[in-house]
């Protein structure tokens, strides 16, 4: 609200972190869908069926992409919560690079859990729905499934990643953060921001999957 009222960085403050966000979106989407197709081709002989194979490949590709997601989204989250560039923590000359590197990858466990379980639900749901209702509806419900499954881990990830880099790593871990959040806000705290996330993500992912399906058709 301070940004919207013109107290900080107006009008460009509302776009804080857009660079890393776009980089993460474009890079990880390309790797996610490409990796999913590659892994899914090797899962085709399993006994899990089409949707089971899609979910399993999404799970493994999500884990593989977790380091990249943790790094880019950590940078984005710290940029978005800082009130000024002076408060934005980045490694500088004289920084303990071991600590800086560990800080850059904070939230890795929560990111891995969000990406693995979330993408399993994502591709599994799409595989089931797309056959009956087409890629547009499949993409819509796939993203809903991703966030319903992955939102608790994403909230924990964001909380961990916005802890100052100078904070001890023992205070920036999944279990302590989840326990503190549960005591402070209850179960609903793990789904904070879900409505606005779905409002943004659902139409975008419907378009993404529709485009994805058309591109695959062209190359077959």
């Amino acid at each position: 609200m301070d940004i919207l009222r013109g107290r900080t960085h107006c009008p460009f403050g509302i776009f804080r972190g857009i660079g890393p966000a776009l980089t993460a979106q474009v890079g990880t989407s390309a790797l996610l869908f490409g990796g999913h197709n590659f892994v899914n081709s090797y899962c085709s002989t399993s006994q899990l069926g089409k949707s089971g194979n899609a979910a399993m490949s999404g799970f493994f590709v999500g884990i593989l992409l977790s380091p990249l997601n943790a790094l880019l989204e950590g940078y984005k989250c710290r940029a978005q919560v800082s009130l000024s560039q002076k408060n934005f923590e980045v490694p500088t000359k004289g920084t303990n690079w071991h600590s800086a590197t560990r800080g850059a990858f904070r939230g890795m466990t929560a990111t891995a859990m969000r990406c693995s379980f979330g993408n399993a639900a994502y591709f599994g749901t799409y595989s089931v729905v797309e056959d009956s209702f087409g890629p547009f509806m499949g993409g819509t419900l796939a993203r809903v499934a991703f966030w319903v499954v992955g939102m608790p881990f994403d909230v924990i990830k964001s909380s961990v990643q916005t802890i100052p880099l100078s904070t001890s790593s023992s205070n920036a871990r999944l279990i302590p953060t989840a326990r503190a959040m549960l005591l402070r806000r209850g179960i609903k705290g793990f789904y904070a921001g879900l409505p606005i996330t779905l409002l943004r993500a659902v139409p975008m992912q419907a378009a993404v999957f529709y485009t994805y399906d058309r591109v695959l058709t062209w190359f077959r």
Side-chain angles (χ1 to χ4, degrees), residues 2 19 24 27 34 42 53 79 82 89-90 93 102 121-122 132 148 150 163 167 172 176 179 184 187 206 209 219:
D2 286 341
Y42 284 92
N53 292 337
S82 63
E89 295 183 278
V90 294
K93 186 176 181 180
R102 292 190 64 178
Y122 185 64
S132 301
V148 168
I163 294 174
T167 303
R179 184 185 299 117
R184 185 172 65 251
I187 295 297
F209 261 116
F219 281 96

Side-chain angles (χ1 to χ4, degrees), residues 107-126:
M108 178 66 188
T109 302
T111 302
M113 296 182 76
R114 183 202 68 177
C115 291
S116 58
F117 292 110
N119 281 311
Y122 185 64
F123 286 106
T125 300
Y126 179 77

Side-chain angles (χ1 to χ4, degrees), residues 29 36 68 81 107-108 129 146 148 161 180 195-196 206 209 216 218:
S29 291
H36 166 71
L68 178 61
V81 301
M108 178 66 188
V129 177
F146 176 92
V148 168
Q161 289 176 331
I196 192 66
F209 261 116
L216 285 182
W218 293 337

Side-chain angles (χ1 to χ4, degrees), residues 40 43-57 124 127-128:
N40 197 38
C43 297
S44 58
T45 58
S46 73
Q47 303 300 313
L48 297 176
K50 181 182 176 182
S51 59
N53 292 337
M56 183 168 64
S57 63
S127 179
V128 171

Side-chain angles (χ1 to χ4, degrees), residues 57-213:
S57 63
F59 182 88
F60 286 117
V61 172
I63 291 178
L64 293 175
L65 289 179
S66 295
L68 178 61
N69 275 306
L71 178 64
L72 293 175
E73 292 186 19
Y75 187 95
K76 180 201 72 172
C77 287
R78 288 191 294 274
Q80 288 177 332
V81 301
S82 63
L83 294 179
S84 70
Q85 289 292 341
K86 293 181 179 179
N87 294 333
F88 181 35
E89 295 183 278
V90 294
T92 58
K93 186 176 181 180
T95 299
N96 182 322
W97 282 95
H98 176 69
S99 298
T101 301
R102 292 190 64 178
F105 285 93
R106 277 184 178 172
M108 178 66 188
T109 302
T111 302
M113 296 182 76
R114 183 202 68 177
C115 291
S116 58
F117 292 110
N119 281 311
Y122 185 64
F123 286 106
T125 300
Y126 179 77
S127 179
V128 171
V129 177
E130 187 268 341
D131 285 340
S132 301
F133 299 100
F136 190 86
M137 182 61 69
T140 299
L141 295 182
R143 204 55 177 178
V144 171
F146 176 92
W147 283 116
V148 168
V149 172
M151 194 70 186
F153 304 117
D154 188 73
V155 172
I156 295 170
K157 173 195 73 70
S158 297
S159 297
V160 170
Q161 289 176 331
T162 53
I163 294 174
L165 295 178
S166 57
T167 303
S168 171
S169 60
S170 62
N171 295 322
R173 294 179 179 174
L174 187 148
I175 298 300
T177 303
R179 184 185 299 117
M181 188 176 298
L182 181 63
L183 292 174
R184 185 172 65 251
R185 305 181 64 182
I187 295 297
K188 66 179 182 180
F190 293 103
Y191 285 93
L194 180 61
I196 192 66
T197 298
L198 293 179
L199 185 64
R200 176 202 67 181
V202 167
M204 179 182 71
Q205 287 303 309
V208 165
F209 261 116
Y210 182 83
T211 304
Y212 167 71
D213 188 74

Side-chain angles (χ1 to χ4, degrees), residues 8-27:
T8 57
H9 298 285
C10 190
F12 301 110
I14 59 175
F15 294 103
R16 175 67 66 82
I18 192 173
L22 288 175
T23 302
Q25 185 66 43
V26 172

